[in-house]
Amino acid sequence: MPTLVMKFGGTSVATLDRIRRAAKRVGVEVAKGYDVIVIVSAMSGKTNELVGWVGETSPFYDAREYDAVVSSGENVTAGLMALVLQEMDIPARSWQGWQVPLITNSAHSQARIEEIPTENINTKFAEGMKVAVVAGFQGISPEGRITTLGRGGSDTTAVAFAAAFDAERCDIYTDVDGVYTTDPRVSPKARKLEKIAFEEMLELASLGAKVLQTRSVELAMRYKVKLRVLSSFEDNDETAGTLVCAEEDIMESNVVSGIAFSRDESKMTLISVKDKPGIAAAIFGPLSEAGVNVDMIIQNIAEEGLTDMTFSCPTDQVKRAEKALNAAKEAGVLEFDELVADTEVAKVSAVGIGMRSQSGVAAKMFKTLSDEGINIKVIATSEIKISVLIDRKYMELAVQALHDAFELEKA
Ligand code: ADP
Ligand code: ASP
Ligand code: MG
């Protein structure tokens, strides 16, 4: 039997009624003759609640117990989905990550999938089971502890299963009917894309478009998984939603194909650091050891042997960054006058593979922002993206202005 992977996100399993609706969709595919692997998220809001409870115990919680707690939301929806399918006379059972087993490394709360043996589930398919409902987002470490794959990780579970079982397709059912030129919640002019290249989706996801977890796109690209994003609230046919595919499969594309944003960024500046060899290592070494994900970096021109160093990181890591840098100062490995944090910034990025061959995109982006009176604090570029850090209060305005400037509402 051909295999299909269907993933239902939090809003698609938010109530028993929605689980029933999702199960009906699964039933349609089973009727077509597929063996189906259903990956479920926790009910929407559940994971946030669990994360909140863990945080209330202590800011320095044990990450293994964090995983034990936050993975539990998916156990509930997996069991409920199996029950609802059984009610429809579809042979189904649920699988928690450890039962598969979905084996990860030991990086708790951000674990990476290492292996998904297919024997257990395939044996059940051979015995007549039609649907394996798998709890997304969770796995088991070599030490036998429960792990989670980072927020949004059920997307990655789904793609990894599609690769392991050589599925015909991996359908990601969510609360929007595809990937848009930008988050439709921020720009009403956002346009749904019929197709998007893996590289572009990878950039959009890593720059903040949470419609797919970044790692899921990486895996789909590596294992050539046919990945589709579609709505669980509308009727779909074979061509519904957005197909994430190889660049060669897209006939024409705009220079810029999408605008992404990330709201919770912070900018930190070390004032008057000594401009000498090894200084960057003395700053970013301790930050990396403290688990701070540094994103953009700029070093100012030195005057009289002193310079300012600026970097950005997620806002919830600012305290950790301050602690690490102050400790390095006290230990005498780093000298600086002051550490200034600006926690009210956001990152806005334009992404498109067309940028490789067309110049002027950066100029247009900067002009558009300046026409709106928006000051750019930091700039970063790569082959197919340009990102800027701006005041958070202008984020929506910037997204909309750039969407207009690059005419993204037009195909
Ligand atoms: P799920 O719970 O199904 O995993 P998520 O909330 O993780 O859903 O992702 C879907 C959301 O992603 C949408 O509701 C939308 O607000 C947001 N989003 C951000 N950028 C985009 C984009 N470019 N296209 C579509 N949706 C986007
Ligand atoms: N429930 C997890 C989260 O909210 C995983 C997911 O939904 O993809 O992050
Ligand atoms: Mg998600």
Side-chain angles (χ1 to χ4, degrees):
M1 293 289 174
T3 309
L4 197 66
V5 172
M6 304 172 77
K7 180 256 174 179
F8 294 94
T11 41
S12 312
V13 293
T15 61
L16 207 47
D17 269 348
R18 290 198 184 166
I19 294 178
R20 286 200 186 96
R21 191 193 320 214
K24 268 197 200 130
R25 259 173 216 296
V26 176
V28 170
E29 302 296 350
V30 170
K32 287 183 198 161
Y34 286 108
D35 280 345
V36 181
I37 299 175
V38 172
I39 310 292
V40 287
S41 286
M43 291 178 172
S44 66
K46 193 70 207 170
T47 310
N48 284 345
E49 183 183 43
L50 297 169
V51 169
W53 286 342
V54 171
E56 277 179 43
T57 64
S58 153
F60 305 107
Y61 53 75
D62 177 346
R64 291 166 299 191
E65 300 306 345
Y66 166 96
D67 281 350
V69 175
V70 305
S71 62
S72 65
E74 272 72 9
N75 297 345
V76 175
T77 44
L80 289 174
M81 176 66 85
L83 287 170
V84 168
L85 287 163
Q86 288 171 6
E87 276 306 298
M88 295 163 60
D89 287 328
I90 297 172
R93 68 157 272 192
S94 69
W95 302 78
Q96 296 183 7
W98 65 272
Q99 294 172 306
V100 174
L102 185 151
I103 302 163
T104 70
N105 65 8
S106 311
H108 284 277
S109 85
Q110 283 295 339
R112 281 181 162 248
I113 299 173
E114 299 207 317
E115 207 195 332
I116 305 181
T118 55
E119 294 89 287
N120 286 343
I121 288 180
N122 274 337
T123 303
K124 289 290 168 195
F125 276 139
E127 289 171 7
M129 175 184 72
K130 295 308 295 174
V131 184
V133 186
V134 179
F137 180 52
Q138 52 171 264
I140 184 166
S141 73
E143 292 78 29
R145 301 295 303 258
I146 305 299
T147 52
T148 62
L149 308 178
R151 297 306 305 272
S154 295
D155 298 329
T156 301
T157 308
V159 174
F161 268 85
F165 285 79
D166 201 16
E168 199 169 292
R169 229 175 37 237
C170 180
D171 286 343
I172 306 284
Y173 286 89
T174 183
D175 57 358
V176 282
D177 60 352
V179 178
Y180 279 69
T181 48
T182 193
D183 190 338
R185 289 176 212 284
V186 166
S187 174
K189 289 190 196 160
R191 175 174 54 87
K192 197 191 91 180
L193 298 163
E194 223 170 276
K195 291 179 177 181
I196 184 162
F198 283 124
E199 289 85 348
E200 289 175 325
M201 192 62 241
L202 196 58
E203 286 284 4
L204 287 175
S206 72
L207 294 166
K210 69 166 183 164
V211 61
L212 286 174
Q213 197 195 34
T214 309
R215 183 88 183 114
S216 73
V217 186
E218 261 170 38
L219 284 183
M221 187 155 121
R222 166 132 46 101
Y223 295 102
K224 302 196 168 45
V225 171
K226 200 165 168 203
L227 181 62
R228 194 161 71 129
V229 176
L230 67 175
S231 165
S232 64
F233 301 117
E234 286 167 26
D235 287 329
N236 299 298
D237 59 16
E238 301 287 316
T239 61
T242 300
L243 190 68
V244 189
C245 59
E247 206 178 316
E248 306 83 78
D249 299 334
I250 300 177
M251 298 299 276
E252 259 177 280
S253 67
N254 293 341
V255 182
V256 170
S257 51
I259 309 289
F261 56 83
S262 164
R263 199 181 297 271
D264 294 312
E265 301 285 324
S266 283
K267 175 168 92 75
M268 306 194 71
T269 304
L270 284 150
I271 312 236
S272 300
V273 288
K274 269 220 182 77
D275 188 25
K276 61 176 185 193
I279 187 65
I283 295 170
F284 298 107
L287 286 173
S288 139
E289 271 161 41
V292 176
N293 298 317
V294 172
D295 179 18
M296 301 157 125
I297 299 175
I298 36 172
Q299 180 175 354
N300 286 4
I301 295 169
E303 258 178 71
E304 294 169 10
L306 292 177
T307 184
D308 295 344
M309 188 79 93
T310 298
F311 65 90
S312 68
C313 69
T315 301
D316 62 4
Q317 296 181 357
V318 165
K319 287 269 173 302
R320 225 184 292 172
E322 283 173 345
K323 194 172 161 199
L325 293 171
N326 287 323
K329 188 178 183 181
E330 268 163 43
V333 286
L334 178 63
E335 283 174 65
F336 59 88
D337 273 1
E338 229 187 309
L339 177 56
V340 189
D342 178 356
T343 54
E344 296 293 316
V345 297
K347 182 169 67 174
V348 176
S349 311
V351 172
I353 42 185
M355 282 185 208
R356 284 189 199 130
S357 52
Q358 193 152 330
S359 59
V361 176
K364 189 166 182 173
M365 180 160 178
F366 303 154
K367 170 85 167 52
T368 304
L369 295 173
S370 111
D371 287 347
E372 297 291 340
I374 300 171
N375 186 34
I376 299 171
K377 296 172 175 239
V378 182
I379 299 168
T381 63
S382 79
E383 208 187 10
I384 65 163
K385 73 123 201 267
I386 303 165
S387 299
V388 294
L389 220 54
I390 59 173
D391 275 332
R392 189 173 303 145
K393 61 178 183 237
Y394 297 129
M395 192 192 80
E396 278 86 0
L397 175 64
V399 170
Q400 286 159 7
L402 292 170
H403 199 273
D404 283 346
F406 290 109
E407 302 185 3
L408 297 188
E409 74 281 6
K410 291 186 207 149

